[in-house]
Amino acid sequence: MNLFRYCILGLALITSAPAFASGLATCDSGDKATWQATSVLEKQLTEKGWSVRRIKEDGGCYEVYALDEKGARVEAYFHPVTLAAVPIKDQH
Amino acid sequence: MRPANGQVRVWDVLVRVLHLAFIAGVTAAWFTRHSAGRWHEWIGYAVLVALCMRLIWGFAGPVSARFVGFVRNPQSTLLYLRQLLRGQAPRYVGHNPLGGWMIVWLLTLLAVISLSGWLSTTDRYWGVAWVMNLHLWATWALLASIPIHIAGAVHASRKFRENLIASMLHGRKRGARGTDVDVPW
């Protein structure tokens, strides 16, 4: 059953920790206790005319899925302490 | 049906090409999952097209490609599993019952992954957590299932002294002999 062991090893390598961060952006955001609540970010973006669908963490940033003021799909990153926009590689 | 020296052509060209397309598509989709641009999406659409062709072929293709030719009922599948665990499983010229169900499972996962991926690019389901999570978890399930699929092929290859991976490339296998279960041509 050597093959089985190689498969497990391969799977372990693929699924090892860094694979869970998308690598699209990283934020040096330190202790989570210093982060602003996602509701604050959501409120700011809603006031800008965005319709926020989801806010999750990725690479120490807040990753936002939303429709912007023109109704276009956007995936945007924000620093969780300053809530400043973090540029990412062009997606579309 | 019988090219030479007791060999039979089991896997037709479309089955083999689509199998390669799934391998290439899944690999390419995995490595472009966070890439800039729309590569990942186009690869997903290509897999969806290949999947539709495989499903049509599963009803309209030759017997060895048809679902009715290799999907067995639960009783036969359990019986096969018991025989396998005792080391007494017969050789199948087509898919064995567990292999047949593995194909159904892999095709189902490919359908879930490609459809949820497409859905997550629509305005309506953009950023919707359950769609994204379905895409992720079905992908992990596929990644866990592929090694089992390969292990099954390698195990049967060793047991019956044939190269099933090569057969999936050239399409030929040794014809039925003795207790072998033939394709219901």
Side-chain angles (χ1 to χ4, degrees), chain B residues 32-173:
Chain B
T32 56
R33 68 199 187 282
H34 300 309
S35 309
R38 304 193 61 177
W39 279 104
H40 186 76
E41 291 165 35
W42 286 110
I43 292 161
Y45 299 138
V47 170
L48 202 53
V49 170
L51 190 62
C52 288
M53 289 169 77
R54 185 63 188 87
L55 291 183
I56 293 167
W57 210 232
F59 293 99
V63 175
S64 60
R66 247 184 265 166
F67 296 117
V68 289
F70 66 78
V71 178
R72 322 270 159 164
N73 62 31
Q75 293 93 314
S76 322
T77 309
L78 277 176
L79 175 68
Y80 178 83
L81 179 64
R82 269 186 247 121
Q83 290 173 323
L84 182 75
L85 294 176
R86 274 191 256 116
Q88 294 164 353
R91 174 174 177 268
Y92 276 73
V93 177
H95 297 296
N96 67 52
L98 285 176
W101 279 109
M102 177 56 97
I103 285 154
V104 172
W105 170 242
L106 293 174
L107 293 177
T108 306
L109 286 176
L110 285 175
V112 170
I113 293 166
S114 45
L115 289 173
S116 60
W118 164 70
L119 215 55
S120 71
T121 67
T122 61
D123 281 359
R124 190 180 172 93
Y125 291 97
W126 176 250
V128 174
W130 72 262
V131 179
M132 296 170 75
N133 289 332
L134 187 61
H135 192 68
L136 287 179
W137 286 108
T139 301
W140 292 122
L142 181 68
L143 239 51
S145 303
I146 290 169
I148 300 170
H149 174 58
I150 296 169
V154 170
H155 174 79
S157 295
R158 284 193 185 155
K159 182 150 196 270
F160 301 111
R161 300 180 183 284
E162 60 184 340
N163 189 340
L164 292 182
I165 293 164
S167 289
M168 202 32 92
L169 294 172
H170 55 58
R172 294 184 303 277
K173 285 180 76 175

Side-chain angles (χ1 to χ4, degrees), chain A residues 1 3 7 11 14-15 19-22 24 53-54 56 65-67 71 73-75 89-92, chain B residues 30 33-38 41 121-127 129 132-133 140 143-144 147 150-151 154:
Chain A
M1 263 349 282
L3 179 84
C7 291
L11 213 59
I14 288 170
T15 57
F20 287 107
S22 72
L24 286 174
R53 289 284 175 79
R54 188 179 188 197
K56 66 184 196 70
Y65 289 86
L67 298 181
R73 295 186 295 273
V74 280
E75 179 185 3
K89 286 176 271 175
D90 185 30
Q91 280 262 289
H92 296 294
Chain B
W30 175 260
R33 68 199 187 282
H34 300 309
S35 309
R38 304 193 61 177
E41 291 165 35
T121 67
T122 61
D123 281 359
R124 190 180 172 93
Y125 291 97
W126 176 250
M132 296 170 75
N133 289 332
W140 292 122
L143 239 51
I150 296 169
V154 170

